[in-house]
Amino acid sequence: MSCLRRWSMFGLAVMLLIGFTTSVRADDPAPDAKDAPKADAPKDAPKDAPKTETPAEPPKTDAMPTAVELPPYFSGANPELSEEDKKDQEKVVKGAIWPDPTGSAAGAWATPAGDGKGDVPSKLTLPDVYDRTVHNLFSINMVWTLVTGFLVMFMQAGFMLVETGLCRAKNAAHTSAMNFMIYPLGCVAFWAYGFAIGWGNWYNGAVADGWYASLGPGLSTLSSGAGIDPIKVDGKETGGYKYGLIGTKGFFLNGCDDTGVMALFFFMMVFMDTTATIPTGAMAERWAWKNFFIYGLWVALPYCIYANWVWGGGWLAQMGINWHFGHGAVDFAGSGVVHGMGGVIGLVGSIILGPRIGKFVDGKIHPIPGHHIPMVVAGTFILAFGWFGFNPGSTLSGTDLRIAMVVVNTMIASVTATMGTYFTLRGLGLKPDPSMLCNGMLAGLVAITAPCAFVNSTGAAIIGLIAGIIVVFSVFFWDKMKVDDCVGAISVHGVNGLWGVLSVGLFATGEYGAGWNGVERYAGSAASGLKALAGPAKDEWLQKVGYAYDGVRGLFYGDASQLVAQAINCAVLVVFGAVMAFVWFKVSNLITPIRVPAEVEIAGLDVPEMGAEGYPDFTVAKLS
């Protein structure tokens, strides 16, 4: 599940009562933080959590409030109705606060006073001010999520340029059209069924105590799903499952007419579109248009089922609380969910399609160069730019200041990956092929997508460097295996998507992600930075802040179990994605042929498939 804003509910209640805010994030238990949250030791801490001496319980105070009346946006719950009123649908609708189609229930919009109208500061009560603060918080997070989503949507232009440039001129119209058409096809599928399957039970996913939806309480409407072993409280089912499988709320967005849900829908839809377009590059220059068209309506199915398991509170995310494997499957912005899934589908599709005519002759590899390298470079820069929405936007919160770390880590990994590719090519005695350098940068961006929020800049640099090396050898490997990937999508997105997921289990520092996937554990002295403190100094600090929650950390920072969770996640991704893709492409081939006839492939797909040439004013040399 993408990172969301954590609030201390106790701090918020105290602010309403005594007039000051102690709102802090459980994500950053820094040793020098003066206002760190206080929390009880977790009941079900992982067996392999970092060991430490249990500090004495912080002293209690008589000033703690016993009951505070809170605004309805604190819980996201609709008012309780009598059994008789529940039978009256009109009363049910009128009595509901959420979903909120206007956002008016999430705090209050501040309106400057003028001629006696609007807010008069001297007359506002503390709750009035707080309502306006909360509304602004939701507004900032909403705008951040939407704008970063716009950047991700614009990445489609980058994919089109990269894939079209790496294909031959005789297929330019066809390749660019696939990159264009996958957007409306994927969106329709996501709206019809994908969002419901992936995020329909999102609100019932395991979260930390004090967690709060960054886009507003209306997200509480995403509360229906299916799974194994229903979770009960006081004998009543909560809607959550110990092993979540799919969501069931929101088909065609029915019952989800809420501003927060709409923002989440848009952001997650453009993410899915990235997965959908990856196979169009790997399978280009011989994929029949009709078969591609129905693929565009299907691809939301495997993507959203797997996304539910990782981001929708499903069983992979629950490996931490169920099996004590770190914080469960952790994939911040989608190295696995987005890129890995797209790469696996592209791999299976390429195998079933077979290589292009002329690619492998007499057991030898014959490179088929792209027709427009400057186009590829331009597309790569557009993608790199869009990634600054892709990764930090996954906080779903412009008020989560960790976005600065995410941005820097994203940038550093992309440049070290490019350098890694360059020196690998030179070390192999090869020239610095611009298309390979571009794939190197993209490989680094893919790899850092999962760990970007959990690692430091040194870790990001190493992750990117390794990705830049991996992509070179991966491209050569698939060529040797006679798998024809026109643009290197399998290596960039598939192989390095898996590397990115695994890298979380190696390089995550524990500084961020406290309570992720519902795993609450307090940090040990060696793990949390308390190592520098000893004796009375440590005891004094613990008395001030209580128990320090521990974030996501990998093998190199004390938690080998997180690497186990990441490895299981990778295995599930490969097996599930491959099986789904294999069945689909075999079935779809029975509906309409997956590959164009040989004469069409040789002549070029533009006119036979699309009825238009990519370059009608130029003579295109058809060498193969």
Side-chain angles (χ1 to χ4, degrees), residues 355-382:
R356 291 168 289 178
I357 296 173
K359 175 66 175 179
F360 305 110
V361 181
D362 298 329
K364 295 182 180 180
I365 302 169
H366 294 267
I368 301 178
H371 81 284
H372 204 318
I373 294 302
M375 182 187 293
V376 176
V377 175
T380 301
F381 271 119
I382 290 175

Side-chain angles (χ1 to χ4, degrees), residues 387-540:
W387 237 286
F388 291 127
F390 205 99
N391 285 0
S394 293
T395 58
L396 302 181
S397 171
T399 51
D400 183 345
L401 302 186
R402 187 71 175 185
I403 56 179
M405 289 290 294
V406 175
V407 166
V408 171
N409 286 341
T410 301
M411 177 181 65
I412 288 177
S414 71
V415 298
T416 57
T418 308
M419 298 302 293
T421 298
Y422 174 81
F423 286 115
T424 300
L425 291 173
R426 301 303 283 176
L428 294 173
L430 301 173
K431 296 292 179 66
D433 179 358
S435 64
M436 187 67 86
L437 294 177
C438 286
N439 272 344
M441 175 172 282
L442 296 177
L445 289 165
V446 168
I448 197 60
T449 297
C452 57
F454 306 106
V455 302
N456 55 31
S457 60
T458 301
I462 297 172
I463 292 168
L465 181 67
I466 295 174
I469 297 171
I470 288 175
V471 73
V472 176
F473 290 103
S474 179
V475 168
F476 294 159
F477 170 79
W478 293 117
D479 273 350
K480 290 180 180 179
M481 297 298 294
K482 302 297 188 291
V483 175
D484 186 12
D485 177 357
C486 298
V487 304
I490 298 168
S491 300
V492 170
H493 301 278
V495 175
N496 276 288
L498 296 175
W499 161 236
V501 173
L502 288 174
S503 68
V504 176
L506 296 172
F507 295 98
T509 63
E511 297 170 337
Y512 186 78
W516 198 272
N517 288 332
V519 175
E520 297 178 328
R521 62 187 185 190
Y522 60 91
S525 59
S528 68
L530 294 179
K531 188 176 182 179
L533 300 174
K538 182 175 72 172
D539 294 338
E540 180 181 353

Side-chain angles (χ1 to χ4, degrees), residues 297-354:
L297 298 173
W298 163 84
V299 69
L301 182 63
Y303 173 85
C304 292
I305 292 175
Y306 176 65
N308 177 274
W309 297 348
V310 179
W311 285 348
W315 70 275
L316 287 175
Q318 295 166 325
M319 284 192 292
I321 56 176
N322 289 339
W323 304 336
H324 305 308
F325 290 153
H327 281 74
V330 174
D331 188 352
F332 187 77
S335 288
V337 175
V338 178
H339 299 280
M341 179 59 72
V344 170
I345 294 174
L347 171 61
V348 174
S350 296
I351 293 173
I352 292 177
L353 266 177

